[in-house]
Amino acid sequence: MSKTIKLTEVDICDRIRDKVLEQRLAPGTKLTEEALCEVFGVSRNLIRRAFLLLSKDNIITLEKNKGAAVASPSPSEAHEIFEARTIMENALLKQAMERANKASIKALRAHLEREQQALLDGDTPLWIRLSGEFHIVLGRAAQNAPMSEFLDLLVFRSSLILALYGNQSAPTSCKGGEHERLVDALENKDLETARQIMAEHMASLEALLKFDTKDTRQDLHSILGG
Amino acid sequence: MSKTIKLTEVDICDRIRDKVLEQRLAPGTKLTEEALCEVFGVSRNLIRRAFLLLSKDNIITLEKNKGAAVASPSPSEAHEIFEARTIMENALLKQAMERANKASIKALRAHLEREQQALLDGDTPLWIRLSGEFHIVLGRAAQNAPMSEFLDLLVFRSSLILALYGNQSAPTSCKGGEHERLVDALENKDLETARQIMAEHMASLEALLKFDTKDTRQDLHSILGG
DNA sequence: TCGCGTAATATTGTCAACAATTTAGTAAAA
DNA sequence: TTTTACTAAATTGTTGACAATATTACGCGA
């Protein structure tokens, strides 16, 4: 039997964040304390602390006496986040170019494998998450914790934005081997090429956005339960 | 009589952060819940939530069953933070150059006044805080909330680092009118000059660091009471 | 049917008591 | 004196009950 380790507020955060990254928790979804208590089998106290952390990352909104809801970034916020992300990805790319070693290249290649596999398996949520996580792994290669953690945050928020405004019918980006080409450029220490691929990649992501609102309700148990 | 508005966890965060920015809360200082309850006149619940937020910003460390202490960044963390800050200041400078308007220039000039006044008044803690806040105000001029908020964080953490490793005997930086010259360059849309001033400014800040540990204990009531 | 006010319900916020853990203090033995 | 074991105190972690607030449901009159 699996020993049930006592969950912390951070664990709960991560679980919820993952679902956001997988775009399985839609923006605007109301998160009630009671429901999450059941899902995670913990007390309200812990849930409330997790909410506090998530709200600090702008992954949920927390309004006094109104509770928590998955964040639903406005178009202008969306723009700011993509702008920030473009700048950060570029800055980190430069750092990564200088510092990437065998280990980080290997980690990136391994990640590409997993992306590929998820695509083959038709596991779309996993693939979406891995696509985002690629940029997180890439950021780690720059070996600057504050910066790569900030990028993490922007990647999470990007997921939220894509879930909200992403044009699902459009051919999904990242499938065109852009991630692979980025790793190649990194390995070859070809900063200019890497920058260009990244710029195109970011632009194509942002091009997916269509700013007309949609609204969805969801069942927390089925999403967070697993 | 002044109506005592009910404090939130965020208010308490801010109060503590301010003291960090003023370098009045030394790195390593233990923060007990009970003591802060008295200082702020709130329940432990709120203090614990404030701790959670502060720890997420790496302003305090929070260890299970051991409680909170003002963060005490290691030399390598310090280096990462200054590196990140240098990159972010540069990136934001470019954005600010493009977007700064009358209002932001005015805000910066007003801030310079306050710095000057604090210096004249001999109010060193206030001056230290305002020196840091200058960069926060400058960041705001870039009009990208995620990025400028990230810079805020780095500025706070820089204060911690300077308090820890700063060479107090050395002639303090920022007094040489570097902030003024930055605003001038910004107003003249002279990016190259601005970049150069900023680079020198950051370098001179980092040059103040001397990595030999010191250890201090402090009285929370007298520091946080006001 | 619609608007409005009111009561019932659900949800969030707060607090205080209790449990678990760490830290400080004390005394005995080497 | 130093070390160790043990006890007492202080500190942090957790829980559940209750208060405050918001949301919903209902009934009434127009």
Side-chain angles (χ1 to χ4, degrees):
Chain A
M1 58 187 127
S2 67
K3 188 164 63 176
T4 59
I5 302 165
K6 191 150 52 169
L7 294 174
T8 69
E9 50 265 44
V10 177
D11 296 326
I12 293 166
C13 263
D14 291 344
R15 289 273 289 273
I16 295 176
R17 250 200 304 248
D18 275 353
K19 298 304 172 192
V20 168
L21 199 52
E22 289 178 358
Q23 300 185 13
R24 290 165 64 101
L25 260 180
T29 306
K30 178 80 196 291
L31 301 171
T32 62
E33 298 178 353
E34 204 59 56
L36 295 195
C37 288
E38 280 188 27
V39 170
F40 293 112
V42 299
S43 70
R44 275 180 62 216
N45 201 354
L46 257 193
I47 297 293
R48 303 187 95 241
R49 289 168 68 86
F51 280 175
L52 204 56
L53 293 176
L54 287 166
S55 76
K56 193 156 176 52
D57 282 347
N58 290 98
I59 287 171
I60 67 172
T61 60
L62 209 45
E63 210 175 339
K64 168 119 180 168
N65 286 323
K66 295 275 187 69
V70 179
S72 183
S74 70
S76 76
E77 283 174 305
H79 183 260
E80 281 187 342
I81 288 163
F82 270 91
E83 179 179 272
R85 197 177 148 183
T86 302
I87 290 170
M88 294 303 295
E89 297 264 15
N90 254 288
L92 283 164
L93 202 52
K94 188 180 172 219
Q95 299 287 106
M97 198 65 80
E98 295 168 6
R99 291 179 190 165
N101 49 31
K102 295 253 167 61
S104 35
I105 298 288
K106 196 173 161 190
L108 282 162
R109 294 268 180 225
H111 193 91
L112 290 177
E113 287 270 340
R114 293 180 61 201
E115 278 186 62
Q116 201 64 28
Q117 193 57 49
L119 204 53
L120 289 174
D121 294 349
D123 188 344
T124 308
L126 178 61
W127 176 78
I128 292 178
R129 185 175 83 186
L130 291 174
S131 292
E133 276 181 359
F134 170 81
H135 291 269
I136 292 177
V137 177
L138 183 57
R140 296 258 177 283
Q143 308 205 39
N144 182 300
M147 294 233 293
S148 57
E149 276 160 27
F150 179 53
L151 179 66
D152 294 356
L153 224 158
L154 294 173
V155 171
F156 282 117
R157 296 179 74 183
S158 296
S159 274
L160 225 36
I161 293 165
L162 286 168
L164 238 189
Y165 303 114
N167 190 346
Q168 303 300 16
S169 61
T172 320
S173 185
C174 300
K175 276 184 185 166
E178 281 158 310
H179 289 177
E180 254 137 335
R181 291 195 292 137
L182 266 173
V183 177
D184 291 343
L186 188 66
E187 199 165 18
N188 298 331
K189 306 269 186 229
D190 184 350
L191 182 56
E192 269 321 298
T193 302
R195 273 198 202 285
Q196 193 168 336
I197 298 167
M198 183 64 86
E200 283 166 22
H201 189 42
M202 287 295 109
S204 70
L205 265 186
E206 202 167 355
L208 289 176
L209 304 184
K210 292 192 62 166
F211 293 109
D212 44 16
T213 53
K214 34 181 158 175
D215 202 356
T216 51
R217 291 279 160 82
Q218 299 185 310
D219 175 42
L220 295 181
H221 283 76
S222 63
I223 295 170
L224 292 164
Chain B
M1 59 186 121
S2 68
K3 187 163 62 177
T4 59
I5 302 165
K6 191 151 47 168
L7 294 174
T8 70
E9 50 265 44
V10 177
D11 296 327
I12 293 167
C13 263
D14 290 344
R15 289 272 289 274
I16 294 176
R17 250 198 305 248
D18 276 352
K19 298 304 171 190
V20 168
L21 198 51
E22 289 177 358
Q23 300 186 12
R24 291 163 65 102
L25 262 179
T29 305
K30 178 79 196 294
L31 300 171
T32 62
E33 298 177 355
E34 203 59 55
L36 294 195
C37 288
E38 279 188 26
V39 170
F40 293 113
V42 299
S43 70
R44 275 179 62 215
N45 203 347
L46 258 193
I47 296 293
R48 303 187 96 241
R49 288 169 68 87
F51 280 173
L52 204 56
L53 293 175
L54 287 165
S55 75
K56 193 155 175 52
D57 282 347
N58 290 99
I59 287 170
I60 68 173
T61 60
L62 210 44
E63 210 175 341
K64 169 119 177 167
N65 285 323
K66 295 278 185 68
V70 179
S72 183
S74 70
S76 77
E77 283 174 307
H79 183 259
E80 281 188 342
I81 288 163
F82 269 92
E83 178 178 274
R85 197 176 148 184
T86 303
I87 290 170
M88 293 304 293
E89 297 264 15
N90 254 288
L92 284 165
L93 203 52
K94 187 181 173 219
Q95 299 287 107
M97 198 64 80
E98 294 167 8
R99 292 179 190 165
N101 49 31
K102 294 253 167 60
S104 35
I105 298 287
K106 196 172 161 190
L108 282 162
R109 295 268 179 226
H111 193 91
L112 290 177
E113 288 269 340
R114 292 180 62 202
E115 279 186 61
Q116 201 64 29
Q117 193 57 49
L119 203 53
L120 289 174
D121 294 349
D123 188 344
T124 308
L126 178 62
W127 177 76
I128 291 177
R129 185 174 84 186
L130 290 174
S131 293
E133 275 181 359
F134 170 81
H135 292 269
I136 292 176
V137 177
L138 183 58
R140 296 257 176 283
Q143 308 204 36
N144 183 300
M147 294 234 292
S148 58
E149 276 159 27
F150 179 53
L151 179 66
D152 294 356
L153 224 159
L154 294 172
V155 171
F156 282 118
R157 296 180 75 183
S158 296
S159 274
L160 226 36
I161 293 165
L162 286 168
L164 238 188
Y165 303 116
N167 189 346
Q168 303 301 16
S169 62
T172 319
S173 185
C174 301
K175 277 182 184 167
E178 280 159 310
H179 288 177
E180 254 137 334
R181 290 195 293 137
L182 266 172
V183 178
D184 292 342
L186 188 66
E187 200 166 16
N188 297 331
K189 306 266 185 231
D190 184 350
L191 181 59
E192 269 322 298
T193 302
R195 273 199 202 284
Q196 194 168 335
I197 298 168
M198 183 63 86
E200 283 167 22
H201 189 42
M202 286 295 108
S204 69
L205 264 186
E206 203 167 354
L208 289 176
L209 304 185
K210 292 190 61 167
F211 292 109
D212 45 14
T213 53
K214 35 181 158 174
D215 202 356
T216 51
R217 291 279 161 82
Q218 300 184 308
D219 175 43
L220 294 181
H221 284 78
S222 63
I223 295 170
L224 293 164

